[in-house]
Amino acid sequence: MRRRTGVGQQADGQQKFTGMRPMEPPPADSDALGVTTHYLSHFRKEYTRTRELMKKKARRSTVGIAALNGLIAVLGVAVAAWRDYAAWLGLASTAVAGVVGVISAWSGLMRHHELWQQRSLILAELQRIIRNVERREASGDDRQLIAREAMELLDATLSQDASNWGSLSRTPLTAAVPYQPLQAPGEAGDGAHLR
């Protein structure tokens, strides 16, 4: 078998990578707002990718467990119908139950469903920050001020994600730090009527 090199091998490695990819440095001629939007775009892309990956894994494990449980039920009926093969069918049922246990343990350890939800919330927050930056830039606000405030919101969002992940990995989801949307600068009055 021939070994793939170069771009093909690199693309395969990127498809299998499940964590956050390292970011490229911003263009050298970028101002503060250019640097900020570079980082915002990078994290939006990465959270979109990892959200889809976690969603796919959560779906596969949930559907797989349901299908295997259905197979166990069918094997149970088959034992009653074909008594001559009861020992073999019972053995097969036990093996399938073992596979269900492994998939359940793996899904519980990796917390794909919870990560999918968390990535969705963080992605929504990143998109809101980007929309706010674009709106403020279009309205002619000071680019340095927009960049500083957006970077503060980005840092707070990423810190909250790390904190929530730490809670998810150590305790049940009900005890995790609840997600609190951040108030973007310039939006102070937007949600005041909701209180």
Side-chain angles (χ1 to χ4, degrees), residues 6-186:
V7 176
Q9 187 178 13
Q10 200 172 28
D12 285 348
Q14 288 178 351
Q15 288 176 350
K16 294 176 184 175
F17 186 67
T18 59
M20 291 288 197
R21 293 181 184 145
M23 72 182 88
E24 297 292 323
D29 59 344
S30 299
D31 67 353
L33 187 56
V35 170
T36 301
T37 55
H38 171 80
Y39 289 134
L40 285 168
S41 297
H42 168 79
F43 283 110
R44 176 173 58 183
K45 183 174 147 188
E46 285 302 296
Y47 275 88
T48 300
R49 184 184 62 79
T50 57
R51 177 191 173 275
E52 287 302 314
L53 186 62
M54 292 305 114
K55 180 180 178 182
K56 185 187 301 182
K57 288 186 176 190
R59 182 176 59 234
R60 284 181 180 172
S61 61
T62 301
V63 171
I65 289 170
L68 291 172
N69 281 332
L71 179 59
I72 290 170
V74 169
L75 289 172
V77 172
V79 166
W82 296 298
R83 295 199 184 275
D84 293 341
Y85 301 103
W88 290 108
L89 292 170
L91 183 63
S93 179
T94 302
V96 172
V99 171
V100 168
V102 169
I103 293 173
S104 296
W106 173 72
S107 182
L109 175 67
M110 301 309 290
R111 317 236 19 191
H112 296 126
H113 189 266
E114 292 88 345
L115 278 173
W116 166 33
Q117 291 176 327
Q118 182 179 334
R119 294 292 182 247
S120 297
L121 292 171
I122 296 296
L123 181 59
E125 183 64 26
L126 289 172
Q127 289 172 332
R128 190 175 71 81
I129 294 170
I130 291 168
R131 283 193 313 269
N132 190 326
V133 165
E134 290 169 350
R135 178 185 59 80
R136 293 181 66 197
E137 185 179 14
S139 68
D141 288 1
D142 179 58
R143 291 175 63 85
Q144 294 291 333
L145 180 63
I146 297 170
R148 188 180 73 243
E149 292 174 348
M151 191 60 85
E152 288 171 1
L153 285 171
L154 175 61
D155 289 342
T157 301
L158 296 176
S159 293
Q160 187 168 19
D161 181 48
S163 173
N164 287 351
W165 167 241
S167 297
L168 274 177
S169 63
R170 292 184 196 92
T171 59
L173 182 61
T174 54
V177 177
Y179 177 76
Q180 299 292 326
L182 299 169
Q183 187 74 25

